[in-house]
Amino acid sequence: PERPPAPPPPFVEGGLHGYLTVLCAFFALFAAFGQSMAFGSFQVQLWYSQNQLVDYTASDISWIGSVRLWVFFISVSFIGRLFDAYGPTLLLAAGTVIFTFDLMMTSLATKYYELILAQGIVFGIGFGLL
């Protein structure tokens, strides 16, 4: 006689700690992806082309967003090793501080190279750490 299949193992849930981890990850990535994906509205319609970078072409301004994404994608290859070695806590804390620093420096930026540094490079690193 054949035996019935064994029941599946019980689902192991993280409980409150697991749900809080998912919620905090959502908020961290919500802010980072929201800022990253909204660059086009700052570029053309709202701010850069009409204020700080009025003398630059749309192509020049779009380099800020391109550098941002390039730094993000390159930095995650190195940050992945740090994640494996040290875990997420230090990286999330550093990413949050760097991300906040980026927003503060962007608010002070008046020149093209300052925006490349703040929104391109610093944001890319902070986003990679998140």
Side-chain angles (χ1 to χ4, degrees), residues 109-127:
T110 58
K111 296 181 176 62
Y112 183 71
Y113 79 91
E114 293 171 343
L115 288 166
I116 287 280
L117 286 173
Q119 282 225 307
I121 296 172
V122 176
F123 179 91
I125 294 170
F127 190 19

Side-chain angles (χ1 to χ4, degrees), residues 80-101:
R81 290 184 176 264
L82 293 174
F83 181 86
D84 292 339
Y86 301 107
T89 305
L90 291 174
L91 299 179
L92 283 171
T96 302
V97 169
I98 291 172
F99 194 70
T100 304
F101 178 74

Side-chain angles (χ1 to χ4, degrees), residues 52-68:
Q52 291 109 319
L53 303 178
V54 71
D55 296 330
Y56 289 87
T57 66
S59 176
D60 293 335
I61 297 170
S62 69
W63 271 99
I64 299 168
S66 299
V67 168
R68 163 195 287 187

Side-chain angles (χ1 to χ4, degrees), residues 19-123:
Y19 286 117
L20 287 176
T21 301
V22 170
L23 181 68
C24 292
F26 168 78
F27 285 130
L29 294 176
F30 179 79
F33 274 106
Q35 177 74 7
S36 182
M37 298 303 151
F39 180 77
S41 61
F42 287 107
Q43 174 188 352
V44 178
Q45 301 166 350
L46 298 176
W47 199 253
Y48 294 142
S49 64
Q50 297 175 4
N51 292 294
Q52 291 109 319
L53 303 178
V54 71
D55 296 330
Y56 289 87
T57 66
S59 176
D60 293 335
I61 297 170
S62 69
W63 271 99
I64 299 168
S66 299
V67 168
R68 163 195 287 187
L69 288 176
W70 183 83
V71 170
F72 163 64
F73 284 118
I74 292 299
S75 70
V76 295
S77 62
F78 301 106
I79 292 169
R81 290 184 176 264
L82 293 174
F83 181 86
D84 292 339
Y86 301 107
T89 305
L90 291 174
L91 299 179
L92 283 171
T96 302
V97 169
I98 291 172
F99 194 70
T100 304
F101 178 74
D102 154 63
L103 293 175
M104 291 188 309
M105 292 301 104
T106 300
S107 72
L108 300 174
T110 58
K111 296 181 176 62
Y112 183 71
Y113 79 91
E114 293 171 343
L115 288 166
I116 287 280
L117 286 173
Q119 282 225 307
I121 296 172
V122 176
F123 179 91

